Amino acid sequence: MANIQEIKSAFEKELSTCQTLAQLQDLKVKYMGKSGELTSLLKGIKDLPAEERPTFGAKVNELRNIFEEKLNYKSAAMKAAELQRRINEEKVDISLCEMQPWGALHPVTLAKNEICSLLISMGFEVLEGPEIETDYYNFQSLNIPYDHPARDMQDTFYLADGILLRTQTSAMQSRHMEVKKPPIKMVCPGKVYRSDSDASHSPVFHQIEGLVVDKNVTLCDLKGTLEYIASHLFGKDTKVRFRPSFFPFTEPSVEVDLTCCNCGGKGCSLCKGTGWIEVLGAGMVNPKVLENCGIDSSEYNGYAFGMGIDRIAMIKYGIPDIRLIFENDQRFLKQFGK
Ligand code: PHE
C-alpha cells in the first residue's frame, strides 16, 4: 500500500513536468504499459496474503483509472491550447487591403485568343497537334520530299530518324484531312521550332494554321476571310494585299501583306517605309496534298494559311524585339494586365 502511494506521487510529479503530447505518451507507457510500474505492482500480488489481494487489486485498478483520467485531461488541454495558438497565428485579416497582384495573359495568348475567336465565329473548329512530329506529316505529306530545296527555308531540329520538332503548324493539315472528310474548316494554333535566333527570330515561336476544304473554294474566299480577321485585329480600314510566292503545299501560293497599322500605309519605321507589313503565307491547297490525304481533288479544293502569332502580337502591341516575348520579364508582362 505504501508502494501505491509512492507511485501515485511520482506519477503526479512527472505529469506536472510534461509539456508535449509525446511526453504524455511516454509517461503513459512508463506507468501503464506492458512492463510499466502498475503492471509490475499487479505482478507482485501473488506474494501477498490471500485476504489482502482483492483490496490491493482494487487499489491498483483505481490508480489506473486515476492516471488514465489525468492523462486524458492534460492531453485534451494541450490539444486545445495548440488549436488556439494556430487560430491566433493563422488568422486571416480580411481587412488588409494589400491584395495579391493580378496576373495578366501573355501577349501571345491574347493575340491567339483574339484570332481564334474570330475564326470560331466564322465556323472554324480549333484543333491542336503534336509539337514532336514525324518527317512525314511535317514535310512529305505536304509535298516536300526529302531532297526538296524548300526544306532549306525551315532550319529544322531533327530529334531522331524521321522525328523532328515541327517547323510549321501545317503538319496538322494532313493529320486532320486523313481523318475528317470535307467540308473541313479548322484552325490549329501552337508552338513551332526552327534553328534561328535574332531580334525578329526565335527558335520557338507560335503559328496559327487555317485550312478550308470544300467544293468550289476560291482565292476570293481566302482573301475575304483574311480581310475580316485583319479588320478586327488592326482596324476596319486595314487592307490586305496578295503577292505571288511559293510553298510546295499550296498552288498558287501567296505572301499576304496588311497596310501598316502604325502609319496607315504612308510609310514609317515599322513598315520600313513601304506602308505594308508582311504577316502570313497562304494559298490554295495543292491537289497533291489532298490526294496524299485520300481526298478526291477532282471533287474538292481548298485554301490554307499560316500566320505567326508572335509577329501579330509584336505589331499589335508595338513589341520591338521577339526575345521580350520569351524572357518572362514581369515588368514587360505586367503591361498586359487589365
Ligand atoms: N507553313 C508556312 C510557313 O510556316 C505558312 C503557310 C501555311 C503557307 C499554309 C501556306 C499555307 O511558312
Side-chain angles (χ1 to χ4, degrees), residues 83-123:
L83 182 65
Q84 194 54 49
R85 186 194 63 76
R86 284 187 53 194
I87 290 174
N88 292 343
E89 201 166 90
E90 296 172 13
K91 191 158 57 180
V92 178
D93 182 356
I94 55 167
S95 68
L96 210 63
C97 57
E98 195 184 319
M99 300 286 247
Q100 277 287 86
W102 284 98
L105 286 180
H106 193 281
V108 170
T109 307
L110 289 173
K112 181 192 91 174
N113 289 352
E114 196 174 348
I115 300 165
C116 283
S117 334
L118 288 167
L119 286 155
I120 289 168
S121 76
M122 288 186 275

Side-chain angles (χ1 to χ4, degrees), residues 122-133:
M122 288 186 275
F124 284 74
E125 62 176 320
V126 179
L127 300 167
E128 282 181 358
E131 288 170 27
I132 295 175
E133 189 48 283

Side-chain angles (χ1 to χ4, degrees), residues 154 167-168 170 173 194 207 209 247 249-250 281-283 304-306:
Q154 304 185 356
T167 59
Q168 48 186 354
S170 304
Q173 283 190 27
R194 290 184 202 175
Q207 284 189 334
E209 191 78 10
F247 299 104
F249 38 94
T250 45
F305 59 85

